[in-house]
Structures are given as structure tokens and as C-alpha cells.
Amino acid sequence: MDRKQVTDWIAAYERAWRTPGTEVLATIFAAQASYLQGPYQEAIIGLPAIARMWENERDGPDEVFHITSEVVAVEGDTAVARVEVRYGDPTGQEYRDLWIMRFAEDGRCNSFEEWPFRPTQPPTARLPGS
């Protein structure tokens, strides 16, 4: 993978989010891909499970949102991107994410992991007793 391929994949992810149904997911995710929605969440495995999550998480393909991204690093089949998503007009929900993606030889994602951050999220966890 190179930066252009990763940038193109992120654009395909956005198009998939904006497309009715989930059939298009097979063009961006491998059949047994894993999708991790947060560092401490259980991975979602396989296209059928990813499709169910996809439909449950979005308001629909006409959901109003704006996404920007920057590829931070690419090494072999692994890439990291900084992604910002703002939902609504006016913005009612906002996330800044780090996406870690591992790709198959055909350019589909084998492993997708996101680290979402919200504006109201504390920058660090409170330690017990502090």
C-alpha cells in the first residue's frame, strides 16, 4: 500500500457509508475482516457482522456529515490515518479518530481499528484516589 491507495480506500469507505445497503462493503473489506470500533471493544468479525453494525450505527445513507482525513503513516500493508467526522448541520456530534488499517494484497481491508475521541472526552483517565 502507498499513501494514494490508502487515501482512495478512505474515500471508498465514505462512499460506502453514503450508499444504501451494505453490498458495497465487500469492495472495501475482506470476507473475514475484523472491525474494532474502539481500543477496548470486542472486534466485529466477517462481512455479515460488519454489515449489521454498519446499518445499526448510521442514520442512513443520506445522513448529513463531513469527513476529512490525513494519512499519517504507511508501512507495508499497514496504514494509520487521522480522521475527523462532523455529523449534522449544524454539527451536533464530532469525532477525531485514528484509524489503523491492515490491507490484503487486493487492497481490501483485513483489519480496521479506530480510536475515537470526542470533544467532551477527558484527555486522560483519572487514576483511583486522584
Side-chain angles (χ1 to χ4, degrees), residues 74-128:
V74 180
E75 174 96 20
D77 68 351
T78 304
V80 177
R82 184 180 298 116
V83 179
E84 185 172 296
V85 184
R86 295 171 184 261
Y87 293 93
D89 184 20
T91 300
Q93 190 174 18
E94 175 183 336
Y95 296 94
R96 288 189 182 157
D97 287 322
L98 287 178
W99 288 3
I100 303 169
M101 301 150 283
R102 290 186 178 83
F103 295 95
E105 286 185 21
D106 66 4
R108 292 184 300 161
C109 190
N110 273 330
S111 172
F112 180 88
E113 178 180 340
E114 62 181 321
W115 291 63
F117 295 88
R118 295 161 192 84
T120 57
Q121 184 173 330
T124 59
R126 288 185 56 112
L127 298 176

Side-chain angles (χ1 to χ4, degrees), residues 7-122:
T7 299
D8 290 348
W9 187 89
I10 293 170
Y13 181 103
E14 179 181 355
R15 282 191 307 276
W17 194 263
R18 296 182 187 276
T19 300
T22 58
E23 294 77 21
V24 71
L25 291 176
T27 66
I28 60 172
F29 288 103
Q32 289 303 312
S34 66
Y35 193 118
L36 190 64
Q37 294 179 286
Y40 295 103
Q41 298 200 15
E42 188 173 327
I44 298 162
I45 307 293
L47 277 175
I50 292 171
R52 283 189 300 277
M53 174 275 301
W54 194 268
E55 288 294 14
N56 288 335
E57 289 294 319
R58 66 181 179 169
D59 288 341
D62 56 350
E63 180 175 28
V64 176
F65 70 94
H66 178 71
I67 184 171
T68 58
S69 64
E70 172 192 6
V71 177
V72 175
V74 180
E75 174 96 20
D77 68 351
T78 304
V80 177
R82 184 180 298 116
V83 179
E84 185 172 296
V85 184
R86 295 171 184 261
Y87 293 93
D89 184 20
T91 300
Q93 190 174 18
E94 175 183 336
Y95 296 94
R96 288 189 182 157
D97 287 322
L98 287 178
W99 288 3
I100 303 169
M101 301 150 283
R102 290 186 178 83
F103 295 95
E105 286 185 21
D106 66 4
R108 292 184 300 161
C109 190
N110 273 330
S111 172
F112 180 88
E113 178 180 340
E114 62 181 321
W115 291 63
F117 295 88
R118 295 161 192 84
T120 57
Q121 184 173 330

